[in-house]
Amino acid sequence: MDSLFRNALGPTAWIILGMIPPAIFALYFLKLKRQPLEVPSTYLWHRVIEDLHVNILWQRLRKVLLLFLQLLIVGLAILSVLRPGWQGESLQGQQFIFLIDNSASMSATDGENGRSRLAEAKQRVVALIDQMDSDMTAMIISFAEQPNVVQEFTNNRRLLRDALDRIEPSAAQTDLTGALQLADGFANPGRVTIEEENAEYEITEQQNIELYILSDGRFAGVEDFSLGNLQPQFFPIGSLTAENLAITALNTRRGEERPELLQAFVQVTNFGSEDRAVVVELYLNEQLLDAAELDVAAGAAASTTFNLSREAEGELRAVINPGKDAKDDLKLDNTAYAVLENLRDSRVLLVTPGNTSLEAALTTDRAKRLAQVEKISPSALEGSSYQRQSQAEYYDLIIYDQCAPEAMPQSNTLFVGSLPPGELWQKNNANEKIFGPQIIDWERSDPLLSLLELGGIQIADSLIVRPPLGGRELVDSTDGPLIAIAPRDHYQDVVIGFEIVGDDEEGNRTFNTDWPRKHSFPGFWLNVLDYFSGVSDDSQSTNHPDRMVELQLGPQEDNVEVVLPDGSRQNVTVDDTGRLNFTDTSQLGIYSVLVGGQVGKKFAVNLFDRPESDIALRVRQAGEDDLITVDSLDIGYVEVEAQSPQLEVRRELWKPLLLLALFVLALEWYIYNRRVYI
């Protein structure tokens, strides 16, 4: 009977419902008690009246159509709450947690009749909720970049359905870890024990909870996680043959042949199984600038470059048009955004008492294309011009050669032969020099040391530079680190422990190292200019949905608003250093920061996530029977097999039965009012 009926009422409700049919019988057949009252006009009818009297409590059963219809209505109602149906996918257990993926890939429209994957997942959960008995409870958690408890544990099916309606699609990446940790907190409470008469008793009730994961599986496995009381089941949502074209990169950079001009670089990736032709359109401030046609092979990427004028400024938008009849199941990644600021050369200040090798490395033709380098002497550090510009973010980088300022500037810095002022660096270093250190290793993957060979450099003396918390050692020697980098607010500080030139015992200028004679010396300073200039790529186009964006405004700014892509506004606050941390970045598009009603800065948020754009369900390799199945999920050391996408949901008849009961009720009303008898 478990496969045919599912109880929906408790004992009290069944007792009340079971009393209704006897009450209907009583209303029809219970004899009314009349008090005899003789009047003269009834004497002649005395014998007739006597025939109406009976000596029993109940009347004889007669054919009453209304009675039959009313009993039929009650019978249909009782049968509907028994919820008859035939067995399919059904709930087994007492407590359930539904994890529903609402990340970017769940907006794919490869479902039945073009429905989105999120809509398919909701429909499947509704079918499971409808099967809940009165003693079952469930909760709903949605997850993308962050998990969200949509509905806590309840046995109220209406609340659960309403919670499903509140789940909206997002443009964020998928992270199952947070959702599992949240579910783990409900399923695996800490064990509490008490001691009584030298014995321990566990008083925390531990029970299994069924975990339903509804997702397309576009995420990596979860490592180092213990399921405990969670009993997982994975229901894949989507198809194996989904097709998608996506913009996976949009950035701006200087032209290789003409550095005075900007170029917009657009990359398109084909995540389908067939070669495609696509048109890429580029808009600046909603005006079409140019268009290009790309042929993109299946599973490959292709790119195109658009030339922009030096004066180009504003909002940049790239759009792909797959064609009218082409299949493209995810539209979310067909548009990308970037912010174009008026191109200017990076400003670099060199503070040095004189260093011909360093000055020559910073004035090569390639260095001039990366930055404008100004030079002052250490004595100018006390001047008002330096004080004003160093605290107003005028310079992108300040290089202090054989000197140091009294206070750190509002810019990136590089120190040569000295330590930055303040406790961050001073407390980790003793300002003691070592003699003849030999370089033994360096961070070849760091952009400052990219493609450089530092072996064999001779150094007379150097400071040991140990970076503060959060910093990294870039070059290590036999006596300790010689070059290090560390963050400071939203700036970065680089320290080179050894001088390039210095004074000997007689006060004459002399070389402290033979590094200027190596090919790596000019290469290092080009890397420095390229790293701190920030003009090689438009980094503002790489912000991802639901990730915090950090902006630097003036320290005294107030009345700051952020205008979201949909036009809504949010009031925000700026900290004492002028930093703005904005977290509500769930929408794709351009965000504008208004300071005093005027646009101060803009930034762009894009998807640019290959796992989210590669929307076809992951499959296992064909087995011995040449069957292709959806890949499983790896949670900790447990492999959660994917349920069959074609698994049927239990079909129930309670809705048709209730509709039939309403029809019979309407028929009964008609017969009563029309005085129809049989």
Side-chain angles (χ1 to χ4, degrees), residues 495-550:
V495 178
I496 301 175
F498 54 91
E499 297 176 342
I500 298 171
V501 294
D503 297 328
D504 59 14
E505 296 179 355
E506 299 177 357
N508 299 320
R509 303 291 288 172
T510 182
F511 280 96
N512 186 53
T513 175
D514 64 349
W515 192 17
R517 300 179 182 177
K518 307 289 185 181
H519 293 295
S520 60
F521 185 76
F524 172 78
W525 293 104
L526 286 176
N527 285 348
V528 168
L529 296 180
D530 185 54
Y531 181 75
F532 287 107
S533 66
V535 298
S536 58
D537 290 323
D538 186 359
S539 60
Q540 289 187 349
S541 65
T542 59
N543 297 309
H544 293 286
D546 283 354
R547 300 281 183 87
M548 184 180 70
V549 175
E550 182 178 305

Side-chain angles (χ1 to χ4, degrees), residues 33 96 123 197 271 313 355 412 483 522 528 563 574 596 670:
K33 291 184 178 181
F96 311 92
Q123 184 187 37
E197 297 180 356
F271 294 100
E313 183 177 2
N355 190 333
N412 303 300
I483 302 178
V528 168
V563 181
V574 180
Y670 174 81

Side-chain angles (χ1 to χ4, degrees), residues 43 53 143 154 205 215 256 278 310 320 363 378 398 448 481 544 577 581 605:
Y43 288 157
H53 288 279
F143 68 96
T154 180
E205 182 180 358
S215 171
E256 293 291 338
V278 61
R310 183 182 179 87
I320 57 174
T363 54
I398 300 180
L448 292 177
H544 293 286
T577 64
N581 295 326
V605 174

